[in-house]
């Protein structure tokens, strides 16, 4: 029996929540992610940057009616990492399946 | 929510993923406005056209359909404004948008062919058939039965129209938009208001 290693970038409550939200939509604004995760703006911003640096997210900063707007999208690398993470989780949940 | 991961067990992770996916999935953004706008417009145009032909008041009663251009302009303005307000864009909204865009293009091409070949009597039967496709597909993508039923009713009425005089097909058009857009539009509106009120109360 072998447990797969969990991706440290995703194995964090807020980063995992952000990626899980983005996996089900085409793109989302920072305000949407903040509302759904109940995180503070500062904390969320830091975690989004970590995901972006890992290449899991694409972050677009633009202006909408003179207000700054941050749009986040999951990348192909992010989707692959999420799928790997879920597969790894399954090895912990159903260890017998791995034998 | 914090960033601490030392206490995040595999079960917690799976629960979190499940919760977040459900939160994104359960968002209901369709307020039914465009279904109602086009439903009522086509309804009044079809009935108006029928009445004008019967009363024989104008040489060109079909001019009533020109009002649809005003709705097209308003729709562009409305969708641009709505798109700016939306904080999230889903894959299903994207697919539905392209389905309706294809419908608009197909309608334009059919109108052109019918006009060029002077087969105007066929146009309303073809429109009935065309209304069915985007309505049914939107129902499938949104998992919303009233739209699926509405689409099927349009197809049935398109077949029925082959047995009627062209002037009475205008009445079928009015029945079709009641079934396909007006009734589903009001149901969508009610669902949207209920879910948004519930969301506002929970925050």
């Amino acid at each position: 029996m072998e447990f797969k290693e969990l991706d440290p970038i995703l194995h964090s409550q807020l980063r995992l929540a952000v990626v899980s939200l983005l996996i089900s939509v085409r793109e989302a604004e920072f305000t949407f992610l903040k509302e759904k995760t109940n995180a503070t703006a500062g904390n969320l911003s830091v975690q989004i940057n970590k995901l972006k640096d890992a290449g899991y997210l694409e972050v677009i900063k633009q202006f909408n009616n003179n207000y700054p707007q941050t749009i986040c999208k999951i990348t192909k690398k992010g989707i692959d990492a999420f799928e790997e993470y879920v597969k790894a989780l399954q090895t912990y949940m159903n260890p017998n399946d791995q034998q | 929510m914090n960033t601490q991961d030392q206490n995040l067990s595999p079960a917690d992770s799976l629960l979190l993923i499940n919760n977040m996916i459900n939160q994104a999935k359960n968002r209901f953004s369709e307020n039914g406005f465009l279904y109602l706008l086009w439903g009522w417009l086509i309804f009044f145009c079809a009935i108006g056209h029928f009445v004008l032909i019967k009363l024989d008041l104008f040489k060109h009663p079909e001019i009533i359909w020109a009002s649809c251009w005003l709705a097209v302009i308003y729709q562009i303005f409305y969708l641009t404004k709505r798109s700016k307000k939306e904080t999230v864009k889903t894959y299903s909204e994207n697919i539905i948008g392209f389905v309706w865009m294809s419908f608009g293009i197909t309608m334009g091409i059919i109108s052109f062919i019918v006009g060029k070949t002077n087969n105007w009597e066929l146009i309303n039967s073809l429109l009935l058939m065309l209304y069915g496709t985007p309505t049914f597909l939107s129902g499938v993508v949104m998992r919303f039965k009233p739209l699926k039923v509405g689409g099927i009713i349009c197809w049935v009425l398109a077949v029925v129209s082959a047995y009627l005089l062209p002037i009475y097909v205008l009445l079928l058009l009015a029945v079709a938009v009641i079934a396909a857009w007006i009734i589903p539009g009001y149901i969508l509106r009610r669902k949207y208001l209920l879910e948004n009120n519930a969301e506002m109360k929970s925050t």
Side-chain angles (χ1 to χ4, degrees), chain B residues 18-34:
Chain B
N18 195 30
N19 283 343
M20 289 296 126
I21 289 177
N22 277 333
Q23 285 223 35
K25 203 172 67 184
N26 291 339
R27 234 189 95 263
F28 199 77
S29 66
E30 180 52 67
N31 62 11
F33 174 75
L34 287 175

Side-chain angles (χ1 to χ4, degrees), chain B residues 50 54 161 164-173:
Chain B
F50 177 82
K54 280 284 179 194
S161 74
L164 296 177
L165 287 171
I167 183 177
Y168 295 105
V169 180
L170 284 167
L171 298 179
L172 288 189
L173 217 53

Side-chain angles (χ1 to χ4, degrees), chain A residues 11-14 16-17 20-21 23-29 31-32 35-38 43 47 64-65 82 85-86 89 92-93, chain B residues 1-5 8-11 13-14 16-17 20-21 23-25 27 83-91 94 199 203:
Chain A
H11 197 60
S12 136
Q13 203 179 8
L14 185 50
L16 183 60
S20 305
L21 283 168
I23 204 99
S24 10
V25 298
R26 196 159 62 90
E27 59 183 46
E29 255 185 58
T31 47
F32 174 83
E35 181 202 327
K36 295 295 174 191
T37 57
N38 288 323
N43 193 8
Q47 303 315 320
N64 183 8
N65 291 332
F82 181 78
Y85 180 80
V86 172
L89 279 182
Y92 289 85
M93 302 304 290
Chain B
M1 196 171 278
N2 57 40
T3 51
Q4 288 173 350
D5 47 2
L8 196 62
S9 71
S13 292
L14 282 175
L16 179 67
I17 292 169
M20 289 296 126
I21 289 177
Q23 285 223 35
K25 203 172 67 184
R27 234 189 95 263
S83 167
K84 280 183 182 171
K85 272 189 186 172
E86 276 171 352
T87 56
V88 62
K89 290 189 171 71
T90 62
Y91 291 106
N94 201 31
E199 205 168 280
T203 52

Side-chain angles (χ1 to χ4, degrees), chain B residues 45-94:
Chain B
C45 284
I47 297 290
H49 193 176
F50 177 82
V51 171
L52 288 176
I53 292 173
K54 280 284 179 194
L55 295 178
D56 202 15
L57 290 174
F58 296 103
K59 196 181 170 192
H60 293 291
E62 66 278 5
I63 200 88
I64 197 167
W65 293 97
S67 57
C68 290
W69 287 108
L70 289 175
V72 169
I73 295 164
Y74 180 73
Q75 181 173 346
I76 294 168
F77 171 76
Y78 172 81
L79 287 177
T80 312
K81 204 174 153 194
R82 193 169 83 171
S83 167
K84 280 183 182 171
K85 272 189 186 172
E86 276 171 352
T87 56
V88 62
K89 290 189 171 71
T90 62
Y91 291 106
S92 58
E93 284 163 357
N94 201 31

Side-chain angles (χ1 to χ4, degrees), chain A residues 16-73:
Chain A
L16 183 60
V18 168
V19 171
S20 305
L21 283 168
L22 290 173
I23 204 99
S24 10
V25 298
R26 196 159 62 90
E27 59 183 46
E29 255 185 58
F30 183 85
T31 47
F32 174 83
L33 298 173
K34 186 172 169 284
E35 181 202 327
K36 295 295 174 191
T37 57
N38 288 323
T40 62
N43 193 8
L44 182 60
S45 184
V46 169
Q47 303 315 320
I48 285 176
N49 273 330
K50 283 187 184 171
L51 290 165
K52 185 189 157 198
D53 292 342
Y56 293 178
L57 294 193
E58 183 190 345
V59 179
I60 304 156
K61 290 188 189 250
Q62 59 186 36
F63 282 90
N64 183 8
N65 291 332
N66 292 327
Y67 287 99
Q69 188 183 40
T70 305
I71 294 168
C72 301
K73 279 184 199 182

